[in-house]
């Protein structure tokens, strides 16, 4: 099909494609966010994939459009950075002169009209004219600093660095002929038209052009040519190096935004200039292309640029020396005196940079020629290897992108199918009403259950009127609440969980569990009281962050989900219905689901759990500590960052062990307090038995019935 399209129609198609790609490129390059610039990289990758087409025209178009995308992105950054804010805001609503010109050029290719202006062709051309004007207005808005999603200067720096690397790679590794770029160049005047338009067209053009005002600072793409593009890239990088050389002694970046962007890209420019010079002087290129690289020495600062750009690790200096000697030795008759002088200046500059060069008038010894030939073959082999590695990398990138786009297309198809199966808006509104009604009933039931629970606790404890010794817990356990010095002194009631086979006969528990008084009030509950309360609190405010985790305690590990809300944090257990089993009525003193406010947070520490750096321990003002373990370090760090960026009015500064040691040395804190704080800073926790706090042995005599504390030998 492609071979059957006439050349004029094919150029017409390429013109439309070029305009669309330029619009996409400018939109992506101007928007803030890495996902936008990734569009440009994906676009270049897809155009590279089109080079695998069997059609020669498609291959040529794909290569030419890659350079056009890179060129338009670089020109857009340059134009935007050179614009003044007043001009930017004033040019937002200005129609386009350059893109109106593109529209005129496009019409010149189309040739004579087959139909009258009243027919469909006229309407189509008008639509394209309107689209061209809207495209330019979009470009001006993108360049305007009033654009709310405009990319920052830092993003422009990163993008320009990436664009230069992409451009240099394609200039080096693509075998591009100048004929390919003829597809993108459209004649400006009727003298250059491929076909002469009829008078009706000319009248329409004149009337259209007279109604289009010119933009004060238009965005104009330069002429499409590999040589000009290569020169522009080299000049761009040289300007960046010269700006960095000029600002070295002044200790600061330039004030002008474009110069500041070039100055920030200087490190990338140093490497890429050396690569591009080596490539353009390589004997593998035609001699007329190599001659153009000699224009580099006409810059008055080329020596300083060479000193900055020649990488010792990549052997840029030796390669340039060899290529220049080869040019002067093998092609001396084809070089003019000026070109020979330029080669001599280039070699002299390399000597001043510390690189050895073979003198042009050196005797042609066989050993010398053989060594030069071997070095030449070595460098050619390195270039082939480098090109093969780059092509392999590009193939892998194209493969990954195609797979990603296939996945996206499947996702889009699935979403489209899901949308077609959605119920009507009326059904959605009714469902929302039902959910709100159920939620209201749930809250009412939860409130009643909470009041019943409090009433039962008041009437059934060991000093209440309905105390039942057969069902009330008779054992004691250490309360996890900590004092100021991390001491746990308080006891609390609990059920004895030790199996009967380990107990004396008179201490054994009855085989059948005795139900406490009023237990029937809670037998039909599918979730624990703790779970319902926390869930109710969590659903009453907006949740800004969630993460799966495990709550670690000495007696159990509870999997669940951590929720970070606007005013507090919530841990909601998994399988609440299975784990319920009347936890409160059977003596469960530690709630598997719990919540706390940001005001209660006193300290937050990173911790290890099960030999992995994936946990965080939170200390509360009420004396409780919470150890939460996550799947990996990244998830833990995300939660840690989100907690610390919240409003924590009672957060204490920690980590200054030197100050702690001074307090201990001056007697302001006891040995026990000092050791407790050292255990905390060492990552030890009362919640993890594998990292339980440790204390040193004080006494050495544990066998004597009595010890004398004044005796030094017992310590």
């Amino acid at each position: 099909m492609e071979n059957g399209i006439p050349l004029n129609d094919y150029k017409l198609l390429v013109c439309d494609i070029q305009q669309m790609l330029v619009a996409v490129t400018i939109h992506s390059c101007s928007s803030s966010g890495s996902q936008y610039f990734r569009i440009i990289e994906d676009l270049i990758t897809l155009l590279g994939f089109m080079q695998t087409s069997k059609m020669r025209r498609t291959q040529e178009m794909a290569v030419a459009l890659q350079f056009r995308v890179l060129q338009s992105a670089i020109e857009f950054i340059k134009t935007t950075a050179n614009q003044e804010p007043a001009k930017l805001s004033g040019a937002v609503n200005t129609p386009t002169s350059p893109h109106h010109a593109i529209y005129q050029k496009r019409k010149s290719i189309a040739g004579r009209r087959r139909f009258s202006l009243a027919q469909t062709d006229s309407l189509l051309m008008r639509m394209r004219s309107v689209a061209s004007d809207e495209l330019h207005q979009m470009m001006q808005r993108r360049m305007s600093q009033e654009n709310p999603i405009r990319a920052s200067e830092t993003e422009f720096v990163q993008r320009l660095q990436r664009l230069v690397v992409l451009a240099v790679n394609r200039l080096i590794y693509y075998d591009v002929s100048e004929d390919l770029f003829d597809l993108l160049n459209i004649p400006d005047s009727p003298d250059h038209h491929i076909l002469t338009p009829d008078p009706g067209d000319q009248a329409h053009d004149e009337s259209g052009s007279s109604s289009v005002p010119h933009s004060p600072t238009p965005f104009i793409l330069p002429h499409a040519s590999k040589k000009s593009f290569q020169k522009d890239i080299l000049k761009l990088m040289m300007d960046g190096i010269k700006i960095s050389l000029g600002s070295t002694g002044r200790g600061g970046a330039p004030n002008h935004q474009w110069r500041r962007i070039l100055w920030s890209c200087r490190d990338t420019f140093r490497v890429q200039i050396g690569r591009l010079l080596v490539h353009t002087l390589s004997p593998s290129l035609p001699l007329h292309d190599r001659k153009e690289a000699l224009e580099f020495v006409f810059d008055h600062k080329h020596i300083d640029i060479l000193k900055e750009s020649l990488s010792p690790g990549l052997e840029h200096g030796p390669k340039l020396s060899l290529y220049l000697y080869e040019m002067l030795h093998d092609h001396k008759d084809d070089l003019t005196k000026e070109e020979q002088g330029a080669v001599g200046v280039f070699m002299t500059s390399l000597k001043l940079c510390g690189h050895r060069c073979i003198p042009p008038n050196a005797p042609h010894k066989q050993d010398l020629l053989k060594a030069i030939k071997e070095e030449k073959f070595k460098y050619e082999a390195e270039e082939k290897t480098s090109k093969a590695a780059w092509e392999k990398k590009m193939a892998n990138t194209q493969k990954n992108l195609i797979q990603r786009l296939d996945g996206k297309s499947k996702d889009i198809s699935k979403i489209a199918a899901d949308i077609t199966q959605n119920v009507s808006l009326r059904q959605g509104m009714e469902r929302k009403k039902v959910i709100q009604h159920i939620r209201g009933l749930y809250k009412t039931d939860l409130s009643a259950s909470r009041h019943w629970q409090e009433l039962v606790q008041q009437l059934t404890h060991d000093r209440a009127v309905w105390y039942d010794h057969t069902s009330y817990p008779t054992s004691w356990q250490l309360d996890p609440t900590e004092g100021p010095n991390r001491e746990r002194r308080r006891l609390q009631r609990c059920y004895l969980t030790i199996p009967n086979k380990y107990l004396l006969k008179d201490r054994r528990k009855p085989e059948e569990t005795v139900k406490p008084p009023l237990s029937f009030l809670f037998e039909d509950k599918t979730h624990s009281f703790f779970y319902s309360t926390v869930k109710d609190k969590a659903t009453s405010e907006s949740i800004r962050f969630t993460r799966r985790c495990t709550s670690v305690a000495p007696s159990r590990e509870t999997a669940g989900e951590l929720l970070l809300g606007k005013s507090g944090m919530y841990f909601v257990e998994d399988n609440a219905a299975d784990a319920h089993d009347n936890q409160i009525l059977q003596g469960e003193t530690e709630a598997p689901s719990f919540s706390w406010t940001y005001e209660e947070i006193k300290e937050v520490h990173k911790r290890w759990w099960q030999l992995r750096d994936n946990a965080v321990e939170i200390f509360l003002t009420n004396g409780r500590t919470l150890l939460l373990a996550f799947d990996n370090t990244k998830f833990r760090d995300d939660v840690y960052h989100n907690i610390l960026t919240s409003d924590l009015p009672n957060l204490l500064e920690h980590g200054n062990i030197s100050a702690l040691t001074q307090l201990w040395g001056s007697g302001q804190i006891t040995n026990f307090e000092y050791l407790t704080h050292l255990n905390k800073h060492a990552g030890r926790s009362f919640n993890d038995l594998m990292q339980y706090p440790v204390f040193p042995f004080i006494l050495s005599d544990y066998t004597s019935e009595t010890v004398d504390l004044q005796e030094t030998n017992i310590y």
Side-chain angles (χ1 to χ4, degrees), residues 421-438:
Q421 297 175 2
N422 283 340
V423 296
S424 64
L425 178 62
R426 180 66 180 174
Q427 290 175 321
M429 295 175 61
E430 293 297 329
R431 183 169 58 251
K432 184 177 181 180
K433 293 179 181 179
V434 172
I435 293 175
Q436 290 177 347
H437 177 69
I438 294 175

Side-chain angles (χ1 to χ4, degrees), residues 509-515:
K509 302 173 292 183
E511 295 295 337
E512 296 183 1
T513 304
V514 179
K515 294 184 178 181

Side-chain angles (χ1 to χ4, degrees), residues 343-465:
V343 174
V345 173
F346 211 139
M347 298 178 72
T348 303
S349 301
L350 290 175
K351 291 179 182 178
L352 295 176
C353 295
H355 299 283
R356 297 178 58 186
C357 295
I358 304 173
N361 54 359
H364 300 164
K365 297 181 180 180
Q366 292 297 326
D367 295 340
L368 177 61
L369 296 177
K370 182 179 180 181
I372 293 175
K373 189 175 182 180
E374 291 177 353
E375 287 293 316
K376 179 181 176 182
F377 288 155
K378 172 188 172 183
Y379 294 152
E380 291 177 353
E382 291 178 356
E383 291 178 3
K384 292 180 181 178
T385 303
S386 177
K387 181 178 180 180
W390 182 80
E391 290 177 345
K392 182 178 180 181
K393 180 181 178 181
M394 290 298 101
N396 292 333
T397 304
Q398 293 168 6
K399 181 179 178 181
N400 294 335
L401 178 59
I402 295 300
Q403 292 176 351
R404 179 158 58 87
L405 293 179
D406 288 342
K408 291 288 185 183
S409 64
K410 292 179 181 178
D411 294 340
I412 293 174
S413 300
K414 184 178 182 302
I415 293 172
D418 292 339
I419 291 176
T420 57
Q421 297 175 2
N422 283 340
V423 296
S424 64
L425 178 62
R426 180 66 180 174
Q427 290 175 321
M429 295 175 61
E430 293 297 329
R431 183 169 58 251
K432 184 177 181 180
K433 293 179 181 179
V434 172
I435 293 175
Q436 290 177 347
H437 177 69
I438 294 175
R439 183 177 178 182
L441 295 177
Y442 173 76
K443 286 191 173 183
T444 302
D445 181 68
L446 179 60
S447 177
S449 177
R450 186 184 300 116
H451 289 302
W452 273 111
Q453 189 70 50
E454 294 173 354
L455 185 60
V456 169
Q457 291 177 354
Q458 294 174 6
L459 297 177
T460 59
H461 62 81
D462 53 351
R463 295 183 182 181
V465 293

Side-chain angles (χ1 to χ4, degrees), residues 60-162:
E60 295 175 349
M61 180 181 67
V63 174
L65 289 177
Q66 287 183 64
F67 285 100
R68 180 57 97 188
V69 168
L70 292 170
Q71 188 180 38
S72 60
I74 294 174
E75 287 296 326
F76 172 79
I77 295 176
K78 180 179 179 181
T79 304
T80 305
N82 281 324
Q83 291 277 19
E84 298 178 2
K87 290 184 178 180
L88 285 172
S89 58
V92 170
N93 296 320
T94 306
T96 171
S97 58
H99 284 278
H100 182 76
I102 290 180
Y103 158 67
Q104 300 292 344
K105 296 173 187 177
R106 189 192 185 286
K107 289 177 59 181
S108 69
I109 301 176
R112 293 184 177 273
R113 296 183 180 273
R114 299 183 180 88
F115 308 100
S116 64
L117 291 176
Q119 294 179 330
T120 57
D121 194 32
S122 174
L123 177 62
L124 182 61
M125 300 304 289
R126 290 178 184 178
M127 291 174 61
R128 286 169 176 159
S129 176
V130 173
S132 178
D133 291 342
E134 292 180 352
L135 170 65
H136 177 67
Q137 293 180 22
M138 182 272 292
M139 294 176 182
Q140 294 293 347
R141 287 195 299 269
R142 292 294 171 183
M143 290 188 289
S144 172
Q145 293 182 350
E146 298 177 357
N147 179 17
I149 58 172
R150 182 176 182 268
S152 63
E153 182 176 319
T154 303
E155 290 177 313
F156 279 150
V157 170
Q158 296 173 350
R159 293 174 181 184
L160 182 60
Q161 290 174 336
R162 182 61 181 155

Side-chain angles (χ1 to χ4, degrees), residues 433-615:
K433 293 179 181 179
V434 172
I435 293 175
Q436 290 177 347
H437 177 69
I438 294 175
R439 183 177 178 182
L441 295 177
Y442 173 76
K443 286 191 173 183
T444 302
D445 181 68
L446 179 60
S447 177
S449 177
R450 186 184 300 116
H451 289 302
W452 273 111
Q453 189 70 50
E454 294 173 354
L455 185 60
V456 169
Q457 291 177 354
Q458 294 174 6
L459 297 177
T460 59
H461 62 81
D462 53 351
R463 295 183 182 181
V465 293
W466 287 346
Y467 168 68
D468 184 10
H469 69 279
T470 59
S471 60
Y472 196 75
T474 57
S475 299
W476 296 88
Q477 69 178 10
L478 194 63
D479 192 295
T481 303
E482 299 179 359
N485 300 324
R486 301 206 66 189
E487 298 178 350
R488 299 188 176 187
R489 296 185 176 184
R490 191 168 66 182
L491 296 177
Q492 62 181 6
R493 288 279 192 176
C494 70
Y495 286 98
L496 191 62
T497 57
I498 302 176
N500 282 336
K501 62 181 180 179
Y502 300 113
L503 302 176
L504 297 175
K505 292 183 178 181
D506 57 341
R507 297 291 183 181
R508 292 179 179 176
K509 302 173 292 183
E511 295 295 337
E512 296 183 1
T513 304
V514 179
K515 294 184 178 181
L518 303 179
S519 61
F520 64 89
L521 293 173
F522 311 99
E523 288 179 350
D524 59 342
K525 303 299 179 184
T526 57
H527 296 87
S528 69
F529 171 74
F530 300 121
Y531 174 85
S532 301
T533 303
V534 173
K535 197 70 173 177
D536 179 48
K537 290 182 180 179
T539 54
S540 63
E541 69 168 310
S542 59
I543 302 300
R544 60 184 177 87
F545 186 82
T546 63
R547 189 66 73 195
R548 298 283 309 167
C549 65
T550 301
S551 174
V552 181
S555 59
R556 69 170 183 273
E557 297 172 1
T558 306
E561 188 171 12
L562 180 67
L563 312 176
L564 274 70
K566 184 177 180 180
S567 60
M569 300 174 61
Y570 311 89
F571 176 79
V572 183
E573 61 178 311
D574 289 342
N575 303 321
D578 298 336
H580 172 37
D581 295 333
N582 298 323
Q583 292 166 335
I584 290 296
L585 301 179
Q586 295 188 9
E588 185 67 55
T589 57
E590 287 302 308
S593 296
F594 43 83
S595 64
W596 63 96
T597 63
Y598 292 122
E599 288 79 5
E600 295 180 87
I601 297 178
K602 182 174 61 175
E603 295 182 37
V604 183
H605 296 275
K606 294 182 179 180
R607 291 288 186 257
W608 286 62
W609 183 67
Q610 292 185 347
L611 305 179
R612 293 187 300 165
D613 184 18
N614 62 342

